[in-house]
Amino acid sequence: RSVYDDQPNAHQRFMEKLDACIRNHDREIEKMCNFHHQGFVDAITELLKVRADAEKLKVQVTDTNRRLQDAGKEVIAQTEEIIRCRVQQRNITTVVEKLQLCLPVLEMYSKLKEQMNVKRYYSALKTMEQLENLYLPRVSQYRFCQIMIENLPKLREEIKEISMSDLKDFLESIRKHSDRIGETAMKQAHQQKTFSTALQKQNNINYGRNMHLVRSRILECKNEITLKRTFEEDDEHEEEVLTAQDLVDFSPVYRCLHIYSVLGDGEIFENYYRKQRRKQARLVLQPQSSMHETVEGYRRYFSQIVGFFVVEDHILHVTQGLVTRTYTDELWNMALSKIIAVLRTHSSYCSDPDLVLELKNLIVVFADTLQGYGFPVNRLFDLLFEIRDQYNETLLKKWSGLFRDIFEADNYSPIPVANEEEYKIVISKFPFQDPELDKQSFPKKLPMSQSVPQIYIQVKEFIYASLKFSESLHRSSTEIDDMLRKSTNLLLTRTLSSCLQNLIKKPHIGLTELVQIIINTTHLEQACKYLEDFISNITNISQVTVHTARLYGLSTFKDARHAAEGEIYTKLNQKIDEFIQIADYDWTMSESDGRASGYLMDLINFLRSTFQVFTHLPGKVAQTACMSACQHLSTSLMQMLLDSELKQISMGAIQQFNLDVIQCELFASSEPVPGFQGDTLQLAFIDLRQLLDLFMVWDWSTYLADYGQATSKYLRVNPSTALALLEKMRDSSKKNNIFAQFRKNDRDKQKLIETVVKQLRSLVNGMSQHT
């Protein structure tokens, strides 16, 4: 410490003490060595002795080791062989154990490949499932297992693709076979309905009849109905009834459903299937543009739809969940709306009642078939009522042509019957009864013409045709009776009435034909009650127990008669005008010819012969026609006198005109048509008679004095009429100077005329002011 503290002489003292310490230690070491030196020498001596023995021992050990090594070489070789064998044995055991684990895997994989090759895809999926869940986990450490594990998803996708391809082929197959499936289903439904109808007829037959005859009758009924041309079979000799399963292999859809269910993609498959079937439904529901032209077009359309829904119904019942009732109902409602729209459109193009009737039969079978599969079809039967209205329209058009042909072919003369046989033939066609005519001997004539029984027969044929459509509509007899009566009313009030009205208006129909038309409509009107009985008989509806609609034929034929009567009046007046137009009066003649004009006598003879034809007409009609003709003749003659183009009339012309009017009055008094009371018909000429009497007698003082009085002799003479005619005579007197040889009388006459003219003008002016 003092060294470190750097005390003076510290270092030297330290070194001195250190040397002293070293010398002490040396002395102790020397003492120690001296003490042990003998022992060390002894030890060295002993070691030198041992050295010789050690060399000897080394040689011996080396020799022993050499000999031992030589002896152990064979043991070592055997031991190594044993070790190698035991390693091989252990390896073999290990390999066997591992192979026992891998062989089932390989066998299952081989089985999987074989199932894939033979297209047993569902079994292959089950095998894959066993491989994944049971076998592969045991040997997952091997590379080949990893390869297998990697291949399994690919195999699954391959199976999905293959099964989907099969499903597409199946969908294409059912699309092609839908019409055949539907045709078969509809045929079976039709046969079943036919058989039910036959059984019903069998039950209605009297139990007392021979059962063998009953069976024969049923067989005949069945054969008759079956022979109806509702379906045409592709093979007429084919007796085996084919079903949807016979026509289409459904295994692809089952297989695909199971595969997708196993793969956990069942919902994807269901959505795909339904989507594709909806597309097919739209294609099936799309009709051809020319479908309405033939019944085959409708049949093919219905067959495809029925086939589609038969397949869906089959899928519904044989699979679980792929197709549900809700899905089929939704699909059917969509299809039904489309079907109804299509049928409305295409049926409206159809103008052939036979085609419409066949369409109705197809719709009924179509509805019955689908109803048998559980689909609601009430809207189809409602549609049939709409089509029935169109069917009636087509019938009305057809019968309109038939009626026109009948009217064109008619000779409009009474039907001649030469003997009893001909008479029975006529009354078998038309319900005619006339006790007075029955008393007459043959040959004789029936009052109506040939068109009457023909029209009656055609009305009955129309009722039959209308009844054909009403059958199989699931309606009661009362409803069918009501429909028939409404259809018949349309035929009578619209079609037949229109044909009669057009016939009456035709220019070639003369008075004789019009008279016969009136007679015909009278008999047709009387036959309406027989038509009502006819409808009641074919529908088995009593008019007494059930309130039924009445036929409106009465009003139809009454309207036709009224039109014919009006046409008679018009044609009579036209004929009178034709005769009037050929009148050729010499209005300036000095005196009359002493006899009536030739045109007027011809006219009267024409009227007389015409009214003789009216003997078969109702009395009122003939009287009205006669009165109308006389009034028109009187008016025409009056207009002739007052014609503004006629400027002058002589007294001789007045006298001649008076002779013609006298002939008209004689004709009226001869009672050309019976039934007039007193001189009623002559009153048609009263205006002319009073006017002519006034001028012939020249009784102006009486006329002017009594004017306006109810007891006036010339009450029917209008002042304006008298003034117009008097002015024509005045102008004639001035020009021809008829009274020139009696100057004073001429002047007096002229003054009288002027005076009368002034008074007449004052009366006319007074009347106009009063008005």
Side-chain angles (χ1 to χ4, degrees):
R1 184 173 180 82
S2 61
V3 175
Y4 283 103
D5 292 340
D6 196 19
Q7 295 177 3
N9 298 319
H11 182 70
Q12 185 177 0
R13 287 193 302 274
F14 175 73
M15 291 303 294
E16 290 174 354
K17 289 181 178 181
L18 182 62
D19 288 336
C21 186
I22 290 171
R23 285 191 296 275
N24 289 330
H25 282 293
D26 286 341
R27 284 192 296 275
E28 289 179 0
I29 291 170
E30 186 177 353
K31 289 178 179 180
M32 182 67 71
C33 286
N34 290 327
F35 176 78
H36 291 291
H37 176 70
Q38 188 60 43
F40 176 71
V41 172
D42 292 338
I44 291 300
T45 302
E46 287 293 331
L47 283 174
L48 289 175
K49 292 179 180 178
V50 172
R51 180 178 180 182
D53 293 334
E55 288 292 335
K56 184 179 178 180
L57 179 62
K58 178 180 178 182
V59 171
Q60 291 177 352
V61 170
T62 302
D63 182 59
T64 302
N65 179 58
R66 179 182 57 75
R67 287 188 285 108
L68 181 63
Q69 290 293 332
D70 291 339
K73 285 182 179 178
E74 185 177 354
V75 174
I76 290 172
Q78 292 293 328
T79 302
E80 289 178 351
E81 181 66 22
I82 290 173
I83 291 172
R84 187 176 63 80
C85 288
R86 288 188 176 179
V87 169
Q88 288 180 349
Q89 183 180 10
R90 186 174 63 248
N91 290 341
I92 290 172
T93 302
T94 302
V95 168
V96 170
E97 291 176 356
K98 298 302 181 183
L99 284 177
Q100 287 177 345
L101 290 176
C102 293
L103 279 177
V105 176
L106 295 174
E107 288 174 357
M108 292 298 289
Y109 195 79
S110 176
K111 180 180 178 182
L112 171 63
K113 286 294 186 181
E114 183 180 356
Q115 290 170 338
M116 291 289 291
N117 291 334
V118 297
K119 299 182 179 181
R120 295 174 56 194
Y121 302 116
Y122 181 73
S123 300
L125 287 175
K126 289 295 184 182
T127 302
M128 276 190 253
E129 186 177 351
Q130 291 179 355
L131 276 172
E132 287 181 326
N133 298 331
L134 185 61
Y135 294 98
L136 288 178
R138 299 175 183 174
V139 290
S140 59
Q141 68 273 19
Y142 300 111
R143 189 172 61 182
F144 79 91
C145 291
Q146 295 299 323
I147 295 173
M148 286 184 182
I149 292 172
E150 293 174 359
N151 284 337
L152 289 182
K154 297 179 182 179
L155 290 175
R156 281 195 174 92
E157 288 301 322
E158 182 181 352
I159 291 174
K160 286 178 67 175
E161 292 176 0
I162 293 173
S163 61
M164 184 57 69
S165 177
D166 291 343
L167 176 65
K168 291 178 180 178
D169 294 339
F170 165 78
L171 293 174
E172 180 65 20
S173 174
I174 60 175
R175 189 185 69 82
K176 292 179 179 179
H177 291 85
S178 285
D179 54 346
R180 180 67 172 147
I181 297 171
E183 182 181 353
T184 303
M186 292 174 72
K187 181 166 59 178
Q188 292 172 0
H190 176 66
Q191 290 174 349
Q192 182 178 4
K193 184 176 181 181
T194 300
F195 185 69
S196 300
T197 303
L199 286 179
Q200 186 176 4
K201 288 186 177 181
Q202 179 185 13
N203 294 332
N204 292 334
I205 294 178
N206 192 336
Y207 290 109
R209 294 185 179 180
N210 187 290
M211 290 305 296
H212 175 71
L213 295 177
V214 171
R215 294 191 188 96
S216 300
R217 177 65 182 277
I218 294 173
L219 184 59
E220 291 175 2
C221 295
K222 184 177 180 181
N223 290 336
E224 289 177 2
I225 302 174
T226 305
L227 287 175
K228 288 184 179 179
R229 194 170 157 271
T230 309
F231 293 100
E232 295 180 0
E233 299 181 2
D234 292 339
D235 186 3
E236 295 180 356
H237 303 288
E238 181 182 4
E239 296 182 358
E240 182 182 1
V241 178
L242 299 177
T243 62
Q245 296 91 321
D246 299 323
L247 297 173
V248 176
D249 180 16
F250 286 90
S251 59
V253 72
Y254 307 150
R255 187 164 54 247
C256 197
L257 174 61
H258 291 155
I259 288 171
Y260 272 77
S261 298
V262 169
L263 295 176
D265 294 333
E267 186 176 353
I268 295 176
F269 173 73
E270 291 173 9
N271 293 334
Y272 176 81
Y273 176 84
R274 295 181 184 183
K275 181 180 179 181
Q276 294 302 314
R277 288 296 280 166
R278 280 194 178 94
K279 289 181 179 179
Q280 288 189 344
R282 293 188 184 96
L283 292 176
V284 167
L285 294 171
Q286 190 66 31
Q288 295 182 353
S289 58
S290 60
M291 183 179 73
H292 61 277
E293 296 177 357
T294 61
V295 69
E296 289 302 324
Y298 287 109
R299 181 178 286 111
R300 192 177 305 109
Y301 180 69
F302 287 134
S303 297
Q304 290 177 348
I305 296 173
V306 170
F308 178 90
F309 283 100
V310 167
V311 169
E312 289 304 288
D313 182 77
H314 179 76
I315 296 294
L316 171 66
H317 287 90
V318 299
T319 62
Q320 295 180 351
L322 178 58
V323 173
T324 63
R325 175 57 67 182
T326 302
Y327 162 77
T328 55
D329 289 344
E330 178 186 350
L331 198 61
W332 169 244
N333 290 330
M334 180 274 292
L336 187 58
S337 299
K338 179 68 174 176
I339 292 167
I340 291 174
V342 167
L343 292 178
R344 277 201 186 107
T345 302
H346 282 264
S347 63
S348 63
Y349 299 145
C350 185
S351 58
D352 182 7
D354 295 333
L355 180 57
V356 178
L357 183 61
E358 291 192 33
L359 171 60
K360 167 258 175 182
N361 292 331
L362 282 176
I363 294 176
V364 170
V365 177
F366 173 74
D368 290 341
T369 303
L370 289 174
Q371 191 174 33
Y373 285 92
F375 295 100
V377 294
N378 292 334
R379 292 173 61 189
L380 283 174
F381 285 101
D382 295 337
L383 173 66
L384 282 175
F385 277 89
E386 298 179 24
I387 297 179
R388 183 182 181 280
D389 295 336
Q390 175 164 356
Y391 175 71
N392 284 336
E393 290 297 325
T394 58
L395 285 182
L396 292 175
K397 290 180 181 178
K398 179 179 179 180
W399 258 257
S400 178
L402 294 174
F403 289 153
R404 285 196 300 268
D405 294 341
I406 291 173
F407 289 141
E408 288 293 334
D410 196 8
N411 58 6
Y412 297 99
S413 59
I415 301 175
V417 287
N419 49 50
E420 183 73 21
E421 183 178 353
E422 292 183 4
Y423 179 74
K424 288 182 179 179
I425 291 174
V426 175
I427 63 175
S428 66
K429 299 177 180 178
F430 181 76
F432 174 75
Q433 295 178 355
D434 188 349
E436 295 298 326
L437 187 63
D438 292 341
K439 295 177 183 178
Q440 298 179 14
S441 60
F442 292 98
K444 52 188 175 183
K445 291 184 178 181
L446 304 183
M448 64 278 190
S449 65
Q450 289 288 351
S451 63
V452 172
Q454 293 175 0
I455 292 292
Y456 184 79
I457 291 173
Q458 287 303 323
V459 173
K460 291 174 67 176
E461 290 296 326
F462 176 88
I463 295 172
Y464 275 127
S466 184
L467 177 64
K468 287 180 181 179
F469 196 96
S470 302
E471 294 173 343
S472 305
L473 291 186
H474 305 286
R475 290 295 185 269
S476 65
S477 299
T478 304
E479 291 175 300
I480 293 176
D481 182 271
D482 187 61
M483 288 188 289
L484 288 181
R485 291 178 186 273
K486 289 180 179 178
S487 300
T488 308
N489 279 330
L490 280 177
L491 178 73
L492 296 177
T493 58
R494 198 171 76 184
T495 305
L496 182 55
S497 175
S498 176
C499 291
L500 284 171
Q501 295 292 339
N502 293 334
L503 173 67
I504 291 168
K505 297 297 182 181
K506 287 186 176 181
H508 70 274
I509 297 297
L511 291 171
T512 304
E513 287 81 2
L514 289 171
V515 170
Q516 187 62 54
I517 289 172
I518 292 176
I519 296 171
N520 290 349
T521 53
T522 301
H523 287 284
L524 287 172
E525 179 183 343
Q526 294 171 355
C528 282
K529 62 179 181 180
Y530 296 100
L531 289 175
E532 292 183 347
D533 295 339
F534 173 73
I535 294 175
S536 298
N537 290 334
I538 63 176
T539 57
N540 294 322
I541 294 296
S542 173
Q543 299 184 43
V544 178
T545 57
V546 180
H547 176 71
T548 57
R550 307 293 297 179
L551 294 183
Y552 301 146
L554 300 178
S555 60
T556 296
F557 297 122
K558 283 181 181 178
D559 293 342
R561 270 204 309 280
H562 291 159
E565 292 167 6
E567 197 66 21
I568 286 177
Y569 307 151
T570 302
K571 287 188 179 294
L572 268 179
N573 293 343
Q574 290 175 351
K575 199 68 178 177
I576 291 172
D577 291 339
E578 292 176 5
F579 279 102
I580 294 295
Q581 288 174 2
I582 64 174
D584 186 18
Y585 283 104
D586 181 6
W587 297 107
T588 60
M589 65 171 57
S590 58
E591 59 182 11
S592 67
D593 295 339
R595 62 180 182 276
S597 302
Y599 87 91
L600 188 72
M601 297 306 298
D602 293 340
L603 172 57
I604 290 176
N605 291 333
F606 165 76
L607 292 176
R608 199 179 302 279
S609 62
T610 299
F611 291 137
Q612 287 178 354
V613 179
F614 287 9
T615 53
H616 294 292
L617 286 177
K620 186 177 181 181
V621 176
Q623 293 170 14
T624 304
C626 186
M627 176 60 76
S628 173
C630 290
Q631 288 176 344
H632 185 72
L633 176 57
S634 174
T635 303
S636 299
L637 291 174
M638 180 68 78
Q639 290 174 351
M640 188 186 300
L641 279 178
L642 302 178
D643 188 2
S644 59
E645 295 182 0
L646 179 60
K647 304 299 183 182
Q648 301 174 9
I649 299 179
S650 66
M651 182 57 71
I654 293 292
Q655 293 171 353
Q656 181 64 41
F657 201 81
N658 182 59
L659 292 176
D660 293 344
V661 173
I662 290 173
Q663 289 299 322
C664 294
E665 292 173 328
L666 290 174
F667 168 74
S669 63
S670 66
E671 198 175 7
V673 172
F676 286 107
Q677 296 180 356
D679 56 354
T680 303
L681 192 58
Q682 291 175 271
L683 293 177
F685 300 98
I686 189 64
D687 291 358
L688 271 176
R689 172 48 49 212
Q690 290 187 6
L691 180 63
L692 291 175
D693 285 349
L694 177 59
F695 278 84
M696 294 288 292
V697 180
W698 206 254
D699 193 9
W700 292 105
S701 58
T702 303
Y703 174 75
L704 294 172
D706 296 342
Y707 177 76
Q709 298 181 11
T711 58
S712 173
K713 182 180 179 181
Y714 305 103
L715 180 64
R716 309 283 298 187
V717 178
N718 192 287
S720 58
T721 303
L723 176 61
L725 185 57
L726 188 59
E727 288 180 338
K728 294 178 187 292
M729 290 190 65
R730 182 184 65 177
D731 293 341
S732 176
S733 298
K734 289 181 178 179
K735 182 175 181 181
N736 298 328
N737 198 10
I738 300 174
F739 306 101
Q741 56 185 342
F742 307 106
R743 293 294 180 183
K744 186 175 185 303
N745 291 338
D746 178 33
R747 288 194 300 271
D748 294 341
K749 188 86 171 182
Q750 202 66 32
K751 289 180 180 179
L752 178 59
I753 290 175
E754 294 295 338
T755 302
V756 172
V757 166
K758 290 180 181 179
Q759 293 179 348
L760 288 175
R761 282 179 178 166
S762 64
L763 289 176
V764 171
N765 293 334
M767 290 175 60
S768 62
Q769 292 176 1
H770 179 70
T771 303

